[in-house]
Amino acid sequence: MFLRSERVEMGLVAEELGLNRTTLHRWFASRDDLLGQVLSDLSRIEFARALAGTRAPRGTADRVISVLERFLRSQHESAAFQAFLAREPATAARVLMTAAGGVEQRSRGMVEALLEEEAAAGLALTAPVDVLSVALIRVGEAFLYADIISEGEPDVSRAVTIFRLLLR
């Protein structure tokens, strides 16, 4: 449903999967939980693609920046993701950027793992991994979701500029 740019509804998901609605609610306490899992799973796939697609050398800030830029651009260019942001900005903000949705925490884990791998390969980090990962995630959110946060225009290039400052 999400990838078809449709509104994800618990009842329709249960019906499409041939499940009792109660079963789906046991798995996911709320629609936000379900959306959080869907978005986290899609993010994990896109992050892996971004990592596989980068040609920047290991152990460099350029590699981290390349992965993050590719990841943000994939979200910005996703018709399904953009439809969700436009259709449900309040839900998107809650699920994507708060502990309630779990997406940010899972994304932070992916970024922390990337930073640790690159540090092990020689990248000198400018801050502890946990602090740097939060900063990178928040910068990405600020520029990717600018339209739902502050009525600005999303701008991945501006996020990349800040990534460079944080990682150099």
Side-chain angles (χ1 to χ4, degrees), residues 7-163:
R7 183 176 163 90
V8 176
E9 294 290 346
M10 296 287 279
L12 294 174
V13 170
E15 184 179 310
E16 195 167 305
L17 295 175
L19 296 171
N20 183 306
R21 194 174 169 149
T22 305
T23 300
L24 189 61
H25 277 282
R26 270 194 304 249
W27 294 346
F28 303 100
S30 68
R31 180 171 179 266
D32 283 4
D33 288 342
L34 175 60
L35 285 168
Q37 189 62 56
V38 167
L39 290 164
S40 292
D41 288 348
L42 292 172
S43 291
R44 189 173 27 256
I45 291 165
E46 288 304 318
F47 198 85
R49 284 185 184 147
L51 185 58
T54 189
R55 299 293 169 242
R58 295 230 8 155
T60 66
D62 287 341
R63 184 170 178 83
V64 175
I65 293 164
S66 174
V67 171
L68 295 176
E69 180 178 13
R70 287 169 175 274
F71 176 69
L72 290 179
R73 289 198 187 284
S74 72
Q75 289 185 319
H76 183 65
E77 294 166 2
S78 165
F81 189 73
Q82 292 306 313
F84 172 61
L85 293 175
R87 183 179 57 247
E88 302 181 63
T91 300
R94 187 175 58 249
V95 171
L96 291 165
M97 295 181 278
T98 70
V103 177
E104 183 180 307
Q105 291 81 358
R106 293 179 190 111
S107 295
R108 191 171 56 235
M110 293 185 297
V111 173
E112 285 178 359
L114 174 62
L115 290 170
E116 288 169 352
E117 288 173 16
E118 298 313 316
L123 174 63
L125 298 178
T126 57
V129 167
D130 60 330
V131 172
L132 194 52
S133 66
V134 170
L136 293 168
I137 293 290
R138 288 295 187 184
V139 166
E141 289 172 346
F143 289 102
L144 184 63
Y145 310 137
D147 50 345
I148 64 173
I149 294 173
S150 64
E151 299 180 10
E153 289 296 316
D155 190 342
V156 173
S157 297
R158 290 176 69 194
V160 170
T161 297
I162 305 300
F163 294 158

